[in-house]
Amino acid sequence: MAAFPLSAQIPSPSAMLPVLKLFLLPVGGGIPAGVMLASAKGMAWPVTALLYLVSDLVLALAFEPLLRFLTAVCGKIPFLARLGQALKAATARSVAHFSGSGPIAFVMIAFGVDPMTGRASALAAGYGFLAGWACAIAGDLLYFAVIALTTLRLNAYFHDPNTTMLIVLGAMFGVPMLVRRFRATRLPRQRAGVE
């Protein structure tokens, strides 16, 4: 069995850069667009996932100084200090839904919201740079896997990248709203049944 040269397996930087730029978009729409572009360019899924990981590392390096600055400023201004304490309390309540304040809770926050919120929650719980971003990036990579697989599977049925991306984007924004609405109507019913 003949081995392929490494250069034949890794796309050129000029092919990978547009995909990475789409993954760097701050809104979730960059994922389906980047996945579709990578697929159209014939990139293997490990290369696509690695590009997404690189985008998360760039995010970590860009967001961490801002997060640290806000933390320092919040401690010196009384109103912002009270706001920071309220946010810590809200984070503690959110983390309690995931049974504790361990790493899995912050992975799930990053999966359900975004990696910046996961990192901010981990910082509020005392996690340092590496541990906090490891949790946030792990959650974001899980989110990427779900969206990437959904995008590729839907495109196999529709064969139209624009339709596929519109459906995925609609689901990305619509499903969380439906879940919140369902929980809001279900919670009062559960309380009424308990009381």
Side-chain angles (χ1 to χ4, degrees):
M1 181 156 92
F4 292 103
L6 186 60
S7 61
Q9 298 172 3
I10 299 176
S12 69
S14 63
M16 292 189 291
L17 189 59
V19 175
L20 179 61
K21 285 180 181 178
L22 285 170
F23 288 156
L24 287 171
L25 288 175
V27 181
I31 296 173
V35 168
M36 295 301 298
L37 182 60
S39 177
K41 290 181 177 273
M43 285 185 203
W45 69 265
V47 174
T48 307
L50 183 63
L51 286 173
Y52 193 76
L53 175 62
V54 168
S55 76
D56 272 349
L57 295 174
V58 169
L59 170 72
L61 293 174
F63 183 70
E64 187 70 18
L66 177 64
L67 183 63
R68 295 294 177 147
F69 172 76
L70 289 174
T71 302
V73 168
C74 283
K76 294 182 173 145
I77 300 171
F79 168 73
L80 293 177
R82 287 191 304 273
L83 181 64
Q85 290 302 320
L87 288 174
K88 275 188 180 184
T91 297
R93 286 191 303 274
S94 296
V95 168
H97 291 295
F98 299 108
S99 66
S101 63
I104 298 298
F106 302 113
V107 169
M108 295 310 297
I109 289 171
F111 175 82
V113 183
D114 62 43
M116 286 88 61
T117 305
R119 171 58 186 133
S121 300
L123 179 63
Y127 280 62
F129 176 80
L130 288 179
W133 276 109
C135 294
I137 289 173
D140 196 41
L141 287 174
L142 286 173
Y143 182 74
F144 168 76
V146 170
I147 299 301
L149 288 172
T150 302
T151 300
L152 292 173
R153 293 289 181 190
L154 275 175
N155 196 50
Y157 290 111
F158 291 106
H159 305 290
D160 178 25
N162 293 328
T163 303
T164 301
M165 284 190 290
L166 285 173
I167 292 171
V168 172
L169 286 172
M172 286 170 65
F173 294 110
V175 169
M177 287 189 292
L178 290 173
V179 168
R180 281 192 295 271
R181 178 174 281 191
F182 175 74
R183 282 184 179 170
T185 58
R186 189 172 144 212
L187 190 60
R189 285 189 215 149
Q190 286 179 338
R191 287 183 181 159
V194 171
E195 295 172 357

